Amino acid sequence: MREVICPACGALTEGESDDELYRATREHTLDAHAYDIPREHVLAAAVEAHL
Ligand SMILES: [Zn+2]
């Protein structure tokens, strides 16, 4: 499981795979910030989830 913390609002998105993480994060940035985040940015910001 990997996760991304939104730099704009601190929301956490997560996914088991790169695709899942990208979809969850993009859905958040579109909904909350009207921002279509590039896949590379999501993967560059991804960290291992420890929970
Ligand atoms: Zn956000």
Side-chain angles (χ1 to χ4, degrees):
M1 179 77 81
R2 294 204 294 166
E3 63 191 24
V4 171
I5 296 169
C6 177
C9 73
L12 190 68
T13 53
E14 58 189 20
E16 293 288 353
S17 64
D18 286 358
D19 278 348
E20 203 176 301
L21 183 64
Y22 167 58
R23 279 198 300 272
T25 305
R26 179 170 181 268
E27 191 173 303
H28 167 77
T29 61
L30 277 174
D31 279 358
H33 311 295
Y35 173 57
D36 189 357
I37 192 168
R39 197 175 190 279
E40 312 81 71
H41 289 197
V42 174
L43 299 183
V47 296
E48 280 301 319
H50 295 294
L51 293 178

